[in-house]
Amino acid sequence: MRQFLAANDIENGAVLGIYGAGGFAREVMPILARRFKDTGHALKLVFIETEPKASQVNGYPVVSEEAFFALDASKRYFNIAIADSKARETIAERCISRGAAPLSLASHSADFLDANTIGEGALFCANTVVTSNARIGRFFHANIYSYVAHDCVIGDFVTFAPRVSCNGNVHIEDHAYIGTGAVLKQGSLERPLRIGKGAIVGMGAVVTKDVPAGAVVVGNPARPLERKG
Ligand SMILES: CC(C)(COP(=O)(O)OP(=O)(O)OC[C@H]1O[C@@H](n2cnc3c(N)ncnc32)[C@H](O)[C@@H]1OP(=O)(O)O)[C@@H](O)C(=O)NCCC(=O)NCCS
């Protein structure tokens, strides 16, 4: 299957769900709508929430997961607009096991250059760029203005907040979270810069050295976050 489905690839009568109905989900729904709403096919676009708090958000129905799977549909697609990577993983595996297909989404202003591989369920917001020869795992989030440069290797369920600068030859392990405006120094093919599993890079950090798994780093140059008390 191609990385990103075009409007014509989606079956008539399909339902397309964005899991979440919070701020980020409201930013993602327009990406979905612009790609798929006016195909001439009868497609239904919905927000999915574990416990819907409203029946509609921005003109789109909000349905429970049960209701999503009960809808009369030729096929069910989903993406997950939830930054919490563990929640994203749980929801992803459950929806896939129930027969829904992950739908990777990219804004029209997202750009992808050469020879990249991108896992299922990815989300690329406006003005994101993946340059060349990057390998990205499943259910990646690239929020607005983030980039992934050449030869980066990114694991599963990794999250980039807005304007993350991920320079060449950076390796990021599963479930890492990179905060707004963080800058990750380039590594080399022989010695990539590594961000360990589940690590958190704070907003505005300038990362010049490897970050161990599970660490929280902030500042310029990035250092482990020291908590008082
Ligand atoms: C690093 C981070 C994860 C820490 O969160 P937290 O554990 O809740 O930390 P707190 O807010 O309790 O702050 C603890 C201390 O670190 C400082 N701090 C927090 N984030 C910081 C950052 N990014 N850079 C420098 N210092 C930071 C706080 O000022 C506070 O300092 P103090 O103890 O002197 O008062 C968080 O602040 C962060 O940067 N998250 C990313 C936010 C983001 O990009 N959101 C995007 C939404 S789309």
Side-chain angles (χ1 to χ4, degrees), residues 6-192:
N8 291 339
D9 298 327
I10 302 286
E11 297 78 353
N12 198 30
V15 59
L16 314 182
I18 297 296
Y19 217 114
F24 187 48
R26 282 184 274 116
E27 294 173 339
V28 170
M29 182 57 92
I31 301 174
L32 177 70
R34 288 178 191 184
R35 288 248 167 222
F36 299 110
K37 204 175 177 194
D38 300 317
T39 59
H41 285 175
L43 302 179
K44 192 171 177 65
L45 275 49
V46 299
F47 289 106
I48 310 165
E49 267 200 309
T50 315
E51 290 177 23
K53 291 165 204 65
S55 58
Q56 290 219 338
V57 166
N58 290 349
Y60 298 95
V62 185
V63 300
S64 67
E65 191 178 312
E66 286 316 304
F68 175 69
F69 282 98
L71 282 169
D72 184 20
S74 58
K75 180 146 181 168
R76 265 166 262 278
Y77 293 92
F78 75 101
N79 197 302
I80 308 171
I82 295 174
D84 178 333
S85 66
K86 292 288 181 185
R88 201 151 82 234
E89 180 172 28
T90 304
I91 292 167
E93 306 311 0
R94 196 171 64 227
C95 287
I96 291 168
S97 73
R98 297 184 79 174
L103 177 66
S104 287
L105 287 176
S107 162
H108 282 294
S109 61
D111 204 359
F112 303 87
L113 302 182
D114 242 352
N116 297 301
T117 58
I118 299 171
E120 64 185 1
L123 196 42
F124 291 91
C125 298
N127 297 301
T128 51
V129 182
V130 181
T131 67
S132 297
N133 304 96
R135 277 188 284 140
I136 298 177
R138 302 170 65 223
F139 290 89
F140 176 58
H141 278 186
N143 210 319
I144 51 174
Y145 291 100
S146 287
Y147 68 79
V148 176
H150 65 88
D151 301 301
C152 285
V153 179
I154 295 182
D156 296 333
F157 301 97
V158 169
T159 310
F160 281 13
R163 208 178 278 285
V164 168
S165 302
C166 180
N167 292 297
N169 287 302
V170 171
H171 290 197
I172 304 181
E173 294 175 1
D174 298 350
H175 290 284
Y177 178 91
I178 317 295
T180 303
V183 178
L184 312 182
K185 185 183 178 184
Q186 81 282 357
S188 63
L189 273 177
E190 306 70 39
R191 175 79 182 84

Side-chain angles (χ1 to χ4, degrees), residues 143 161-162 177 179-180 200-204 216-219 225 227-228:
N143 210 319
Y177 178 91
T180 303
I200 297 175
V201 174
M203 55 193 166
V216 181
V217 298
V218 297
L225 176 64
R227 297 187 190 276
K228 292 172 184 156

